[in-house]
Amino acid sequence: MHLDHVTIRTRDLEATRTFFLKVFDLEEGQRPLAIRHIPGHWLYSEGHPLIHIIGSPGSGIGRSAEAIDHVGLRMEGYAAFRKKLDQLGIRYSPMDLADLQQRRLFFRAPGGPLLEAVFSEPVPQNN
């Protein structure tokens, strides 16, 4: 397992995008079709989308606009890991990104931090 990406929520998409592009010499790249309706950017390092930036109004109690939204962990064995979460009684939300041939599981750690397990595996046709 290794770090796949970090997602940052912000009110100022363009300033945050420009900051990461300039400071870390990243390049902007494509985002999956399934999430293009969400305002944001994916910034790549060595061909890998490392920083995901999404727009956030920051409204509501405990919903700061400027925050790390979640951490993505690249893993192997989607079916086995999903079964493990089921056995442990951990609720999760699956997301298949057919255009990237990736399967993802979102779930929360104790205390609330959002985690995303990312698997490079074929997405079934019937999804």
Side-chain angles (χ1 to χ4, degrees):
M1 171 175 51
H2 67 273
L3 181 65
D4 184 76
H5 69 274
V6 173
T7 298
I8 298 170
R9 283 188 283 125
T10 183
R11 281 191 182 115
D12 193 340
L13 281 171
E14 291 312 310
T16 303
R17 173 187 166 275
T18 300
F19 172 84
F20 279 97
L21 289 173
K22 287 183 177 179
V23 172
F24 296 105
D25 297 322
L26 301 173
E27 296 179 5
E28 184 155 12
Q30 291 292 317
R31 296 170 68 217
L33 294 172
I35 63 168
R36 287 190 189 155
H37 67 282
I38 301 168
H41 305 278
W42 276 20
L43 307 181
Y44 286 65
S45 174
E46 300 176 7
H48 178 77
L50 186 62
I51 305 291
H52 300 181
I53 303 169
I54 56 175
S56 175
S59 58
I61 296 173
R63 191 76 174 153
S64 171
E66 309 304 317
I68 293 177
D69 183 77
H70 68 270
V71 175
L73 301 167
R74 180 148 312 258
M75 301 178 66
E76 294 182 11
Y78 175 84
F81 189 73
R82 189 169 175 165
K83 182 177 179 180
K84 182 177 186 176
L85 293 178
D86 287 337
Q87 290 172 337
L88 293 171
I90 297 172
R91 293 175 38 190
Y92 56 86
S93 294
M95 176 189 280
D96 288 344
L97 300 175
D99 50 332
L100 298 180
Q101 287 301 293
Q102 290 182 347
R103 306 194 80 189
R104 296 167 182 237
L105 298 171
F106 292 87
F107 56 99
R108 295 202 178 270
L114 183 61
L115 303 175
E116 177 183 359
V118 179
F119 303 84
S120 292
E121 295 188 12
V123 174
Q125 294 288 339
N126 56 359
N127 277 1

